Amino acid sequence: MVATFLMAILLIILLGIYMYNWSLNTVKNEIINSSTAQVSFYLESLEDEVERIKILQYDSLNDEYLAKLAIRHSIMNEYDTVESMRKLQQRLVTIHNSSSYIANVSVHILSIQKTISSTTSVSPIDMDKFEHLRVPEGEKGAQLVKYKDKLYLTTLHAGKAGISQMYLIEVEINTTALQEALGQFRTYADSGTFLIDLTHNVVIPGKGNNDAVLLEDLTENDLKLESGNIGYSKINGQNIYVVSVKSNYLNMLLLRYIPQNLIFVPVQSFYIWLWIFTGVGLMIIVLYFVYTYNLIHKPMRKLVGSFRQVESGNFNVHIPVNKKNEFGYLYKGFNSMVQNVSALIDQVYKQKILNQKAELKQLQSQISPHLLYNSLFLINTMARLGDENLIAFTKLLGDYFQFVTRNASDYLPLYQEVEHARTYTDIQLMRFPSRLTIHFEDCPDAVRDIQVPRLIIQPIIENAFKYAVEKTKDKGIVSISFRLDDRALRIIVEDNGAHLSDETLVSVHKLFYDNTNIETSGLINIHRRIRLIYGDENGLSLERSSMGGLKVTLRLNPKAGV
């Protein structure tokens, strides 16, 4: 037992040492990686900003007023010359104000021997500066130019007429703004940043740098200043980590240094407390594990296992109750819940089936032959006049009422329902031959044999006749079409009725979902029947037709039907 205890203590000590070293390296790597990411992001942002400034600079080469001053100055009057200078200076001021890294924007126009600046207006051209700011041939990247310890971005337009029309646009870099931006990396005391222009050996220190740390001190230990390099230096007995990132576009190197002692500060007190918490925590964990395993884990596993059996559909689960604690109360509640759920499922399922059948029969019973009276009067008139269409009309009427009064089955193939609707339209055509036009598509072969409820299409067409023919003086048009995709079959009935208001359309649509309304007829009747059989996502939808009347879309899912 003593040996086992000593081995356990030794393992804890080794684990503590490992965790301490791991924490130390993790903190160091996180700080260094974070520093590398920050300087990399800043350099990328600086590259983007310089590139944006150069784009504005190149775009200014084509400035209308700059071209006038450089090429047409000899034929311009004094007013045009002054106005062009003013307009050009306004553009330079706009470029100047677009970035905090710009100290000044100037245009040197050789033909008029003038320099127009965003800060000093118009002045005589400085030929020495003009010659020094011209970018050497073949230089790539940002093409930064150094003149009198300042950095510039320049671009030259030679002109088609030679040297006489040359002009140069310069952007002076604001080194003070760069120093302030570099100062944001001084998140630790005695840390700092240097931005080094490798082309011109210009060193820009960050604002707030430790004056005791110089660039020469950082590089005295043969530190390689390369992109992504993490080096190590020693200054006045103090260990310092140096992170360097290079921009090939700017040919600049961003150097950030952090004292080692700042990196290890967060983990100094951790070393002592690590051992204390390790020992105490291990003891608590062992005791807590034993206690919770017997008090909670085992009873909880039994309860979870019973719930999983219920999820799989087994409602005959029963948990024995042996203790009078919280789990004993839960076990009793679980057993009672399973019994009640089982009884309710059986009761609700049966009641729902009976209610659906009763409501379906009630809805179907409300459909009656609306044409009976008008058709009998029409037959009487045709018989008195000796109309030759009497036989055909009575045949259609007989087929119509035979279908309506047939109760052999509540469902029938879709093509029979469509033929019944077509019979109805033929009857209406004979009643109103001069006032009615019917466009009736054929039933798609893919769904002609699916089983559907009786009388779901003809009442929709009857509603269309009511508003397209009986309530309008113009010629009525009724269109019946079919649309089939992978998810649903849509039967669309449209008319050109002119008496449908937006208020009526909204009020009828609301009645579709008003379950408190017991009286149902027409479109509401069909909508409720379809939803009962095929589900709530099916049924009727109303909108205004492109012909001006009502467009009714009957949607049903053949896969969810009978």
Side-chain angles (χ1 to χ4, degrees):
M1 291 178 64
V2 172
T4 304
F5 179 78
L6 291 177
M7 289 180 61
I9 293 297
L10 180 61
L11 288 175
I12 294 174
I13 293 174
L14 293 176
L15 179 61
I17 295 173
Y18 170 79
M19 291 181 63
Y20 174 75
N21 292 327
W22 174 81
S23 302
L24 196 66
N25 292 328
T26 300
V27 172
K28 180 185 70 175
N29 293 333
E30 286 296 327
I31 293 177
I32 292 176
N33 292 336
S34 174
S35 300
T36 305
Q38 289 175 0
V39 295
S40 298
F41 177 77
Y42 175 74
L43 265 186
E44 292 175 1
S45 301
L46 185 59
E47 287 178 354
D48 294 339
E49 184 65 13
V50 171
E51 179 65 20
R52 187 186 68 83
I53 294 173
K54 287 182 69 65
I55 290 174
L56 293 175
Q57 191 179 36
Y58 280 113
D59 185 57
S60 299
L61 288 175
N62 300 318
D63 185 81
E64 173 187 357
Y65 301 100
L66 177 56
K68 286 182 179 180
L69 293 171
I71 300 172
R72 301 171 54 191
H73 66 279
S74 60
I75 62 174
M76 296 172 60
N77 56 39
E78 183 179 356
Y79 172 79
D80 290 337
T81 301
V82 173
E83 182 66 14
S84 297
M85 289 181 178
R86 188 181 67 83
K87 293 289 187 180
L88 179 57
Q89 188 191 23
Q90 287 180 353
R91 181 162 189 170
L92 298 181
V93 171
T94 301
I95 297 175
H96 184 179
N97 294 334
S98 68
S99 175
S100 61
Y101 294 127
I102 298 177
N104 186 26
V105 184
S106 301
V107 176
H108 306 285
I109 306 175
L110 195 60
S111 58
I112 62 174
Q113 293 292 304
K114 295 291 184 181
T115 296
I116 302 175
S117 171
S118 62
T119 57
T120 60
S121 186
V122 181
S123 60
I125 190 170
D126 185 347
M127 290 304 301
D128 180 66
K129 186 176 183 181
F130 183 88
E131 291 298 331
H132 278 85
L133 291 183
R134 296 177 62 176
V135 178
E137 293 289 338
E139 185 171 344
K140 298 181 179 179
Q143 300 177 345
L144 285 165
V145 179
K146 178 184 176 183
Y147 178 72
K148 293 183 178 180
D149 296 329
K150 294 183 179 180
L151 295 177
Y152 296 86
L153 291 170
T154 66
T155 180
L156 177 67
H157 184 277
K160 296 181 179 179
I163 298 177
S164 62
Q165 293 182 2
M166 289 177 58
Y167 51 87
L168 183 144
I169 301 177
E170 71 162 62
V171 175
E172 180 185 341
I173 301 300
N174 189 348
T175 55
T176 303
L178 284 175
Q179 289 180 330
E180 292 178 353
L182 294 174
Q184 67 181 331
F185 297 112
R186 192 176 177 273
T187 54
Y188 304 99
D190 297 328
S191 64
T193 312
F194 290 99
L195 182 63
I196 308 169
D197 184 351
L198 301 177
T199 305
H200 309 97
N201 294 322
V202 176
V203 179
I204 304 174
K207 186 177 181 180
N209 276 14
N210 187 354
D211 296 334
V213 180
L214 302 176
L215 182 62
E216 293 79 7
D217 298 330
L218 295 176
T219 58
E220 67 178 3
N221 296 334
D222 297 328
L223 182 66
K224 294 182 180 180
L225 301 180
E226 299 176 351
S227 181
N229 185 43
I230 300 173
Y232 177 80
S233 186
K234 195 168 186 178
I235 303 176
N236 299 326
Q238 185 179 23
N239 296 327
I240 292 179
Y241 284 99
V242 182
V243 177
S244 60
V245 177
K246 182 181 179 182
S247 169
N248 294 324
Y249 175 72
L250 300 173
N251 198 24
M252 287 184 173
L253 191 72
L254 186 57
L255 203 70
R256 184 180 184 187
Y257 62 90
I258 305 172
Q260 185 184 35
N261 60 339
L262 296 177
I263 296 177
F264 295 152
V265 165
V267 294
Q268 287 178 352
S269 60
F270 177 75
Y271 180 76
I272 299 174
W273 286 104
L274 172 66
W275 296 107
I276 298 175
F277 283 116
T278 300
V280 176
L282 183 62
M283 184 183 301
I284 293 175
I285 288 174
V286 172
L287 296 176
Y288 186 75
F289 175 80
V290 175
Y291 178 78
T292 56
Y293 181 81
N294 293 317
L295 183 68
I296 299 176
H297 187 67
K298 288 175 64 177
M300 185 63 71
R301 287 181 59 187
K302 184 184 295 184
L303 185 61
V304 171
S306 301
F307 269 110
R308 288 176 177 172
Q309 293 186 51
V310 172
E311 289 178 354
S312 63
N314 181 13
F315 289 94
N316 296 321
V317 182
H318 180 79
I319 304 177
V321 181
N322 300 322
K323 297 181 179 180
K324 296 182 179 180
N325 55 10
E326 290 81 1
F327 278 99
Y329 177 80
L330 291 175
Y331 290 169
K332 290 181 181 179
F334 175 83
N335 294 335
S336 176
M337 178 198 69
V338 171
Q339 294 177 0
N340 292 336
V341 169
S342 179
L344 288 173
I345 288 176
D346 184 68
Q347 177 182 355
V348 171
Y349 178 78
K350 292 180 180 179
Q351 183 177 359
K352 182 177 180 180
I353 295 298
L354 292 174
N355 288 342
Q356 284 185 344
K357 289 184 177 180
E359 185 173 354
L360 184 59
K361 287 293 184 181
Q362 179 185 3
L363 291 174
Q364 287 181 328
S365 65
Q366 294 178 4
I367 298 177
S368 59
H370 300 283
L371 294 177
L372 177 60
Y373 308 113
N374 292 332
S375 298
L376 291 176
F377 287 121
L378 182 60
I379 291 173
N380 179 51
T381 302
M382 296 173 70
R384 285 190 291 104
L385 298 176
D387 194 330
E388 60 182 7
N389 294 320
L390 178 60
I391 297 176
F393 181 76
T394 54
K395 176 65 169 62
L396 290 173
L397 199 61
D399 293 340
Y400 173 82
F401 284 111
Q402 181 182 15
F403 182 91
V404 170
T405 58
R406 183 173 54 195
N407 291 318
S409 175
D410 293 332
Y411 301 92
L412 73 167
L414 177 62
Y415 78 91
Q416 292 185 10
E417 178 68 19
V418 173
E419 287 303 316
H420 170 67
R422 194 184 298 274
T423 299
Y424 176 79
T425 58
D426 291 341
I427 293 174
Q428 294 289 10
L429 277 173
M430 297 188 70
R431 291 181 61 201
F432 309 102
S434 61
R435 294 178 55 194
L436 185 61
T437 298
I438 304 293
H439 302 288
F440 204 126
E441 291 185 1
D442 294 331
C443 178
D445 293 336
V447 291
R448 69 187 309 272
D449 292 321
I450 65 170
Q451 296 292 311
V452 297
R454 298 173 66 250
L455 295 174
I456 59 172
I457 302 177
Q458 178 266 326
I460 302 176
I461 302 175
E462 181 178 357
N463 183 79
F465 282 127
K466 179 179 179 182
Y467 291 97
V469 179
E470 297 179 2
K471 291 189 177 182
T472 183
K473 297 180 180 180
D474 300 327
K475 187 170 184 178
I477 301 175
V478 178
S479 172
I480 302 95
S481 57
F482 300 85
R483 299 293 180 268
L484 178 63
D485 55 33
D486 295 336
R487 296 182 296 176
L489 168 66
R490 292 175 174 82
I491 304 172
I492 303 170
V493 179
E494 300 181 74
D495 62 70
N496 66 336
H499 297 276
L500 178 64
S501 65
D502 293 336
E503 293 77 8
T504 303
L505 185 62
V506 172
S507 62
V508 173
H509 196 272
K510 287 182 179 179
L511 290 176
F512 279 8
Y513 302 95
D514 185 7
N515 295 325
T516 61
N517 184 13
I518 301 177
E519 296 296 331
T520 59
S521 60
L523 302 184
I524 301 175
N525 185 311
I526 299 171
H527 178 70
R528 292 190 179 179
R529 294 172 60 199
I530 295 300
R531 283 166 59 91
L532 279 173
I533 298 170
Y534 293 95
D536 293 344
E537 71 275 9
N538 299 282
L540 298 185
S541 62
L542 308 181
E543 58 184 308
R544 187 171 294 279
S545 169
S546 59
M547 296 185 293
L550 178 65
K551 177 181 179 181
V552 182
T553 301
L554 169 61
R555 183 192 188 277
L556 55 87
N557 184 358
K559 297 180 181 179
V562 224

